[in-house]
Amino acid sequence: MKFGVVIFPGSNCDQDTVYVLRDILEQEVVTLWHKEIDFDGNIDVIVLPGGFSYGDYLRSGALAKFSPIMNRVIEFANNGGYVFGICNGFQILCETGLLPGALLHNMNQKFICKNVFLTPDSKTTALTTHLPKGRALKIPIAHGEGRYFADRETLAQMRINGQILFRYSDENGIVSESFNPNGAVENIAGICNERKNVFGMMPHPERASDDELGNTDGRLIFESMIKYIKENG
Amino acid sequence: MSEQTVTVETARELGLLPEEFELIKKYMGRTPNFTELSIYSVMWSEHASYKNSIKWLKTLPRKGSAILAEAGTENAGLVDIGDGMACAFKIESHNHPCAVEPYQGAATGVGGINRDIFTMGARPVAQLNSLRFGNLKHDRTRWLIKGVVKGIGNYGNAFGIPVLGGEVFFDESYNMNPLVNAMSVGLVKKDGVVSAISKGKGNPVFIVGSSTGKDGIHGATFASADITEDSADDIPSIQVGDPFQEKILLEASLEVIKTGALVGMQDMGAAGIICSTSEMSEKGGHGMRVNLDKVPLRQKNIEAWEILLSESQERMLMVVQKGREKDVEDVLNKWDINYAIIGEVTEGDFLEFFFHGELVAKVPASTLVLGGGAPVYDREYREPAYYKEYKKFDINKVPEPQDLIEVAKQLISHPNIASKRWVYEQYDTMIGTGNMTTNFPSDAGVFNLKGTNKALVMTVDCNSRYVKADPEVGAMIAVSEAARNIACTGAKPLAITNCLNFGNPYNPEVYWQFVHAIKGMGAACEKFDTPVTGGNVSFYNQASIGGKEEAVFPTPTIGMIGLLENKNHHTTLAFKEKGHMIYLIGKSHNDIASSEYLYSYHGIKQSPAPYFNLDEEHRIQTALLELISKNLVQSAHDVSDGGLFIALLESAMPRNLGFDITTDAEIRTDAFLFGEAQGRIVVSVSTSRETHFIDYMVANKIPFTALGHVTKSEIRVDDVSFGFISDMKQVYDTALEAMVTGQPAK
C-alpha cells in the first residue's frame, strides 16, 4: 500500500510516522510538502501527522486548514480516499470540517504527555476491525489541546453510526472519568466520519510501534488499517 | 563617526572596569565611540568572555580519543560514537532571565541551546534540564516553577524535541535566583559537521530567521550582574521565543548544509550579531563588512548599537560561497524563511559596520573574543569560615528518631524526593520515537540509535548541597553520580559538559568555591575518562537585597553522555518480580552528613559532604558494567537523594512490587536507610543467577551485602511493616503537584 505523509511547516511527528510505515510496516511512503497540489493519484492513505503546524499560535490546525495541500486532501477524502489525522492532524481535520467536533484546551490547561489506555468502540472501521478483542491498548498522548468536544446531537449521531473509534479507559478497558486525561466528552480519544474513510485520534500510535521501545500496541492500529484496506479497498 | 562622547563613566555604566576601558583604547589606538564601546561591553562581559573563569577551566581534562571538537573550539562539544556518527551536546544556563520572566526566560533557554547544536549541522534529538528553585511555600517560587516548566514545555514541545532526563531541586538558597540549565543532545554524520567560521574574501554573509528587534539588548551584561530589587526594570533585556521559527530555522539550516554552498554558520545567541560576526571572523582570520541597513528589523527607531547587540531569538548567520547564493536562497524560499544578505567577508582583521551610509563602528575582531584580546583575570580566593565549621558535625549528637516509618513518609513527600511527574508530564518525552525509558525506566535517559545495536545515554546531575559543604568533594560526587547513573543503564560514560552556576566571582569566598569545584571535577573526570567538552559559566547567581548578598549553593551541574554498545544490555531501575534477591553493591556507612534526612527532618544544615571515595566509586561502577554484560542483574539503581530506602522504593514502584530487607546491626538504622554515603548501587538478582553473581563479587573483591528480597507489595524492614507500595506510590506521585498547585493531585 502507498501512504502519503503531509508535511506542514511546524509538523514534527512526520518522520516518526514515516519511520513506522516505511521501516517497520514496510509500506511504500511518500512525503507531501504542504505546497504540493499535484501529488501522485495512486496514494491509498494520506496521513496528517502530529506537530504544531504554522506554530499553532492561533488555534491548533486553524492555519493549516488554509494550506495549499488541504484542498486536495479534502477532494481526496470526498472521493473516498482514506485520510488519517494523528494529534495535530486530527485537529486540522476538525478545523476543515472533514471530521465533526472540535479539540479544546485540556481541562487542566496544561500540555500532557504520558501513556494512556484506549478501548476501541466501533468495531466496523478500518482502524479497529482487526484489533485484538477484549483488551485495551497502551498508547501515549502528547497534546495541549486534545479535549474532544461535540454537541449532544452530533454525539448521538456518531454513536448510532459507529463513528467513535476509541475512548480513554484503564488497562482493563473500563471507561470512566477517572481515566480521562484531558476532559474529552464521553472520554473520546478518536473518531471517524460517517463514511468511515476519514479518521482522527489524539493519541500517537506511531510512538508505540517499535519493539525496541517496549510497546507495540500502536502498530496494531496501523496493521488493522492496512489489512482492512487490502481486503475492502 | 559621531554620537555621544564616551568617557570612563560611560564604560562603567556599560559594566566595564576602568582598566578595561584603558585596554580598549590601547587596542583601538583611540577612544571608541559609543557603538564600539557597547560592542566591547557585551563581548567582554563575563557571559561572553569567561574572563574570570577561563584560567581555571583550562585546567580541566579536555582531551580524549573520542573527542572531535575540543572545548571552546565550536558551539558545542562533539564526540565520536562510532558508525560514522558524532554526538554534539552542551548545557547552558538561563538563570537571570528566568528570575524576572520565568516563561520566556526558560523558553529562550531551550531555543538557545538547541541552536548551539544545529548550528554545527547536528539534529537535536534529546533535551535534559536541571532546575533549582527556592522554598515552595513562597508564592514567588510557585510562580517561577510554573512559568519555567511551561516555558520549557511549550518551546521544546513545539520545536519537537523530547525531554529525556533532568532534575529539580528546592532549597532556600535559590529563593531569589532560580537556576535553569538546559542541555541538548544532537546527532550528526562525522563528515557533515559545520564549523562556525568565516573566510574567503568576497563571500556573502546572510542573516536568516527572525527579524531583529530591541529584545535582549545587553542580555549578556544583564547576566553578568547580581539580581537586585530593581532587576524587573531590566525586562527589556529578556528575549521572546518563537519555537515555530526555530523549527523552520532548524530544517532550513540542515537543508542549506546539504547544498554544499556553506562556508560556515553560527547562531545568534548572547550578544547577537556582534558575537557571531566577531567569533566567526576571528576563527577564519578574516574581516567582515556589514551594512546594518540590510538587517530585517521588527521595529523603527532602532540604533546601530541596538541592532548589533540585540538578542532577538531564532537567527542564524551564514557565510556562503560567492556564486552559490541562489542554491541557499532556494532552500530558504522553500521554507518561507526571512533572510537578507547583510555584508561580505573582507581581508584583514577589521569588522566594519555601516548604518545610514556611515561607518558606525570599526573594531579588530581578534580583540573582542575569548582567546584573543578579551581580558583574562586571576581572581583571589579565600576559604570561607563555614567550611571548617561544617566539618565539626558529629552524628552522635543527632538523636535517632523512634518512628522511622514517619521519617520515610516525610521524605517521600518532600519535593526533593517525591516524583517530578507534575513537571515532566508537561514535556513531550516521546517525540522522535527514540526514548527507550518510557516503558523501561532507567537511571539515565536512553536514546535509541535506530538501525544500530547501540543507544546513547545521558544524564544531568549535581547535588549542590554537597558542593556547598565541600566544593571539591561535592563536584567529584556530581561527576561520579552522573557516571553511576549512566553505568546503571549498562552504558559506559563518554564525556561531560558542565554548567557552572556560582555567585559573584569578585567575592573571594565564592571564588574559592568555584576553584575547588573545578579541582574536584577535574579529578573525577580524569578517573572516569570523561573529558570536558565545554559548557557554560554562570556567575552572579546571588541576590543583593537590602544590601545583603545571598549567593546560591555553588552548583556545577554535570551533563554526561555515555554509550550503550549493546541495546540488549539496557538495564532498568525496576524490580522485575517477587522473589528476586536484592543486593547492595558498595558499603553501608554510619553517615548521614548532608543528607535530605539530616537537612529536612532534623533541620541540621551544617554538615560536611557525605562519605565518598573516588577509587572505590570507579571500581564499583566498573564491576556493575561487567555484571550487566554477564546478564547477572535484573535491575540497577543508584543510591542517592533520600538514601537506600528511597532507592529501594523507586525500584519497587514501577511494577507495584514491595521489598523485605534486613538492616545492619553495626550501623544506625536511620543512617542505613536514609544516609547518603556515595558509591552504592541497589541491584536485584534472579535466584537462578544468584550463585554466579556472588561468585563474581567475591572473586573480584567488590564489597556487597544481601539486603533481602522483592515482595508482592508489602514493604518490610527488619520484620516491621512499613505499609504497602500502592500507598507509598500515591504519596510519592502526587506530593509535588499538591505543593505547586495548592490542590490535591488527581
Side-chain angles (χ1 to χ4, degrees):
Chain A
M1 263 172 58
K2 189 166 183 177
F3 286 81
V5 176
V6 177
I7 303 177
F8 300 100
S11 293
N12 59 24
C13 301
D14 46 315
Q15 294 309 314
D16 297 351
T17 310
V18 169
Y19 179 74
V20 168
L21 293 171
R22 185 184 286 159
D23 295 48
I24 295 179
L25 294 164
E26 297 177 339
Q27 303 298 308
E28 195 181 344
V29 183
V30 291
T31 54
L32 306 171
W33 183 235
H34 71 125
K35 292 178 187 171
E36 273 180 53
I37 45 169
D38 270 331
F39 56 78
D40 186 349
N42 296 324
I43 289 170
D44 298 293
V45 184
I46 291 179
V47 182
L48 305 186
F52 290 72
S53 48
Y54 306 89
D56 276 346
Y57 291 119
L58 174 58
R59 194 175 63 241
S60 295
L63 289 184
K65 168 185 169 182
F66 299 107
S67 156
I69 201 171
M70 281 314 292
N71 285 331
R72 288 279 292 136
V73 173
I74 292 167
E75 206 179 290
F76 180 84
N78 289 340
N79 289 331
Y82 289 99
V83 178
F84 183 17
I86 301 169
C87 200
N88 192 226
F90 183 15
Q91 293 162 337
I92 295 167
L93 290 172
C94 287
E95 284 289 331
T96 58
L98 280 174
L99 288 174
L103 291 145
L104 312 178
H105 279 280
N106 295 343
M107 199 63 107
N108 70 358
Q109 301 295 313
K110 284 203 282 285
F111 189 93
I112 308 169
C113 175
K114 62 178 182 181
N115 274 327
V116 297
F117 286 92
L118 305 182
T119 289
D121 191 311
S122 174
K123 309 280 191 289
T124 57
T125 74
L127 265 65
T128 54
T129 301
H130 297 292
L131 291 176
K133 303 283 177 268
R135 133 163 144 73
L137 304 177
K138 181 165 87 174
I139 315 270
I141 54 167
H143 57 244
E145 296 175 34
R147 174 160 57 108
Y148 184 72
F149 178 80
D151 62 44
R152 203 181 299 171
E153 282 163 35
T154 310
L155 286 171
Q157 213 48 52
M158 285 165 65
R159 275 196 299 272
I160 292 165
N161 297 334
Q163 288 174 250
I164 295 165
L165 299 174
F166 303 105
R167 295 182 200 269
Y168 299 109
S169 70
D170 74 350
E171 58 192 290
N172 301 309
I174 294 167
V175 176
S176 136
E177 187 52 37
S178 335
F179 313 119
N180 188 340
N182 55 23
V185 63
E186 294 185 7
N187 281 37
I188 290 174
I191 59 163
C192 65
N193 64 348
E194 199 177 340
R195 195 172 166 182
K196 295 181 181 167
N197 65 324
V198 179
F199 311 91
M201 65 189 289
M202 286 315 295
H204 287 269
E206 82 281 10
R207 297 184 181 189
S209 294
D210 187 349
D211 278 323
E212 294 189 323
L213 303 186
N215 176 14
T216 52
D217 282 3
R219 193 159 81 198
L220 300 170
I221 294 173
F222 290 113
E223 283 168 349
S224 172
M225 182 183 211
I226 292 165
K227 189 169 178 203
Y228 181 96
I229 296 174
K230 274 187 182 154
E231 285 171 358
N232 302 278
Chain B
M1 285 190 259
S2 58
E3 315 175 333
Q4 71 186 85
T5 329
V6 163
T7 64
V8 68
E9 207 36 57
T10 329
R12 202 195 304 272
E13 278 165 21
L14 291 173
L16 288 162
L17 299 170
E19 58 267 35
E20 290 171 343
F21 183 57
E22 289 307 313
L23 190 58
I24 293 165
K25 286 197 288 188
K26 196 182 124 201
Y27 281 145
M28 299 193 70
R30 62 179 164 86
T31 303
N33 65 30
F34 182 76
T35 304
E36 290 162 340
L37 190 66
S38 293
I39 289 173
Y40 279 98
S41 81
V42 288
M43 290 305 293
W44 288 10
S45 70
E46 189 64 50
H47 194 78
S49 77
Y50 294 83
K51 60 189 172 189
N52 286 310
S53 60
I54 190 66
K55 175 178 176 260
W56 286 97
L57 296 179
K58 283 189 168 168
T59 66
L60 290 167
R62 290 179 295 170
K63 292 191 191 307
S65 53
I67 304 297
L68 298 173
E70 245 182 67
T73 57
E74 290 295 346
N75 280 282
L78 197 65
V79 175
D80 194 338
I81 54 169
D83 299 318
M85 295 296 290
C87 169
F89 72 111
K90 190 183 181 187
I91 191 165
E92 204 162 70
S93 65
H94 236 216
N95 306 335
H96 281 70
C98 291
V100 289
E101 216 297 56
Y103 178 85
Q104 289 297 347
T108 53
V110 172
I113 192 63
N114 280 300
R115 278 194 304 283
D116 276 342
I117 301 302
F118 71 80
T119 203
M120 296 178 70
R123 179 176 285 277
V125 296
Q127 184 92 39
L128 301 95
N129 50 67
S130 169
L131 311 178
R132 282 173 181 75
F133 300 99
N135 190 332
L136 264 179
K137 293 199 173 93
H138 299 163
D139 287 345
R140 177 178 150 80
T141 304
R142 294 199 296 271
W143 169 70
L144 286 170
I145 188 174
K146 285 180 191 168
V148 165
V149 171
K150 206 174 188 93
I152 292 174
N154 283 5
Y155 200 99
N157 298 343
F159 176 60
I161 186 162
V163 173
L164 256 69
E167 48 173 4
V168 188
F169 182 84
F170 301 89
D171 186 88
E172 299 268 349
S173 84
Y174 303 105
N175 275 347
M176 287 306 290
N177 292 82
L179 300 185
V180 176
N181 296 174
M183 171 168 161
S184 179
V185 178
L187 294 174
V188 58
K189 283 194 181 135
K190 264 161 75 177
D191 55 12
V193 177
V194 175
S195 184
I197 195 166
S198 167
K199 58 184 179 185
K201 180 175 180 254
N203 281 334
V205 179
F206 282 62
I207 190 168
V208 179
S210 292
S211 301
T212 299
K214 291 194 184 189
D215 46 336
I217 289 170
H218 281 305
T221 313
F222 169 55
S224 307
D226 293 359
I227 295 283
T228 68
E229 293 97 326
D230 303 325
S231 287
D233 299 344
D234 288 327
I235 281 187
S237 282
I238 289 161
Q239 315 84 334
V240 176
D242 177 355
F244 173 63
Q245 189 67 228
E246 177 107 332
K247 169 72 173 163
I248 300 303
L249 186 61
L250 161 73
E251 299 298 342
S253 299
L254 295 185
E255 213 168 305
V256 163
I257 294 170
K258 284 191 196 154
T259 65
L262 208 55
V263 174
M265 79 178 168
Q266 179 166 338
D267 69 306
M268 247 74 74
I273 293 178
I274 186 60
C275 186
S276 303
T277 52
S278 60
E279 290 184 356
M280 290 177 79
S281 298
E282 194 271 341
K283 181 181 247 184
H286 276 70
M288 200 178 274
R289 187 179 300 121
V290 173
N291 184 353
L292 296 174
D293 297 296
K294 302 274 188 194
V295 176
L297 300 176
R298 68 168 68 130
Q299 61 197 109
K300 287 181 183 156
N301 301 322
I302 185 165
E303 302 284 338
W305 66 272
E306 292 174 310
I307 299 173
L308 284 166
L309 269 55
S310 164
E311 293 183 11
S312 289
Q313 300 290 291
E314 294 93 22
R315 296 177 303 158
M316 192 70 89
L317 198 73
M318 297 181 182
V319 176
V320 172
Q321 291 169 26
K322 194 171 174 57
R324 300 284 311 270
E325 292 88 342
K326 186 171 179 305
D327 297 334
V328 172
E329 287 169 358
D330 284 348
V331 172
L332 301 175
N333 288 333
K334 173 192 160 185
W335 286 95
D336 294 316
I337 196 163
N338 220 358
Y339 67 88
I341 296 177
I342 60 169
E344 61 175 9
V345 179
T346 56
E347 274 174 351
D349 180 32
F350 279 98
L351 302 175
E352 296 168 294
F353 299 98
F354 292 85
F355 194 49
H356 300 334
E358 222 182 310
L359 179 66
V360 290
K362 183 176 179 182
V363 286
S366 60
T367 64
L368 297 174
V369 304
L370 164 70
V376 174
Y377 296 125
D378 201 357
R379 295 252 77 84
E380 60 161 330
Y381 53 94
R382 181 177 67 231
E383 184 182 297
Y386 81 83
Y387 179 61
K388 287 211 170 66
E389 282 301 307
Y390 278 27
K391 287 195 185 295
K392 291 180 185 161
F393 168 77
D394 179 2
I395 185 174
N396 297 314
K397 291 185 181 154
V398 181
E400 189 166 359
Q402 291 287 316
D403 187 353
L404 292 177
I405 300 176
E406 189 49 41
V407 176
K409 286 188 176 155
Q410 194 177 317
L411 280 178
I412 295 165
S413 58
H414 191 283
N416 285 346
I417 305 283
S419 167
K420 306 303 180 288
R421 187 177 79 170
W422 179 85
V423 174
Y424 67 72
E425 280 188 357
Q426 297 186 57
Y427 304 149
D428 194 330
T429 52
M430 306 183 205
I431 191 164
T433 58
N435 187 348
M436 296 176 71
T437 58
T438 305
N439 302 303
F440 300 123
S442 307
D443 273 17
V446 182
F447 184 83
N448 188 16
L449 296 169
K450 288 173 188 168
T452 76
N453 206 21
K454 299 189 263 198
L456 194 63
V457 181
M458 56 202 79
T459 183
V460 282
D461 289 288
C462 178
N463 186 317
S464 54
R465 188 187 296 143
Y466 304 165
V467 185
K468 169 77 187 282
D470 188 329
E472 192 162 340
V473 173
M476 278 196 252
I477 292 176
V479 174
S480 303
E481 188 186 347
R484 207 187 306 138
N485 284 329
I486 298 232
C488 281
T489 69
K492 191 179 175 316
L494 278 183
I496 73 155
T497 171
N498 56 26
C499 197
L500 307 170
N501 309 272
F502 289 82
N504 190 326
Y506 291 84
N507 175 332
E509 297 190 350
V510 166
Y511 206 69
W512 175 87
Q513 294 175 330
F514 176 75
V515 169
H516 285 79
I518 294 289
K519 287 181 177 175
M521 186 183 299
C525 285
E526 293 278 5
K527 189 80 199 173
F528 289 99
D529 193 18
T530 50
V532 179
T533 60
N536 161 237
V537 179
S538 171
F539 282 131
Y540 305 96
N541 291 291
Q542 63 179 43
S544 302
I545 302 295
K548 191 171 164 275
E549 281 187 6
E550 198 69 52
V552 297
F553 276 174
T555 313
T557 311
I558 304 297
M560 187 180 281
I561 59 157
L563 195 63
L564 184 61
E565 288 281 357
N566 181 350
K567 274 184 266 200
N568 295 327
H569 289 150
H570 174 202
T571 302
T572 83
L573 61 81
F575 292 153
K576 297 300 176 297
E577 57 186 79
K578 180 188 155 186
H580 282 178
M581 300 305 292
I582 306 170
Y583 283 91
L584 178 69
I585 302 180
K587 283 186 230 153
S588 292
H589 291 269
N590 212 31
D591 179 39
I592 52 172
S594 279
S595 63
E596 192 63 60
Y597 161 65
L598 181 69
Y599 197 84
S600 301
Y601 183 84
H602 289 287
I604 297 175
K605 315 222 158 174
Q606 305 195 340
S607 66
Y611 172 85
F612 174 74
N613 179 304
L614 186 58
D615 293 330
E616 221 175 86
E617 179 79 52
H618 185 257
R619 268 186 71 216
I620 282 162
Q621 293 186 24
T622 311
L624 177 69
L625 286 177
E626 261 201 273
L627 289 167
I628 290 173
S629 69
K630 292 173 188 294
N631 289 317
L632 293 179
V633 297
Q634 296 290 323
S635 67
H637 184 30
D638 86 313
V639 177
S640 59
D641 304 6
L644 178 65
F645 184 84
I646 298 300
L648 289 163
L649 197 72
E650 286 168 349
S651 285
M653 284 186 293
R655 295 192 175 201
N656 292 309
L657 295 162
F659 53 89
D660 186 344
I661 61 157
T662 311
T663 63
D664 185 333
E666 305 284 306
I667 290 168
R668 276 172 61 149
T669 310
D670 59 345
F672 188 85
L673 293 176
F674 309 118
E676 298 181 12
Q678 297 296 297
R680 294 181 297 158
I681 296 160
V682 169
V683 296
S684 61
V685 179
S686 69
T687 38
S688 66
R689 296 276 169 162
E690 201 178 2
T691 325
H692 299 295
F693 171 79
I694 294 171
D695 287 348
Y696 174 87
M697 298 300 279
V698 173
N700 291 281
K701 300 193 178 67
I702 310 294
F704 75 112
T705 338
L707 291 173
H709 61 272
V710 179
T711 66
K712 185 160 172 277
S713 64
E714 195 180 11
I715 296 164
R716 294 179 75 84
V717 177
D718 294 334
D719 287 329
V720 174
S721 177
F722 272 49
F724 289 89
I725 197 72
S726 50
D727 299 329
M728 293 270 186
K729 192 172 185 230
Q730 173 68 17
V731 176
Y732 177 84
D733 280 345
T734 56
L736 181 61
E737 174 162 4
M739 275 177 277
V740 174
T741 62
Q743 287 168 1
K746 192 179 139 188

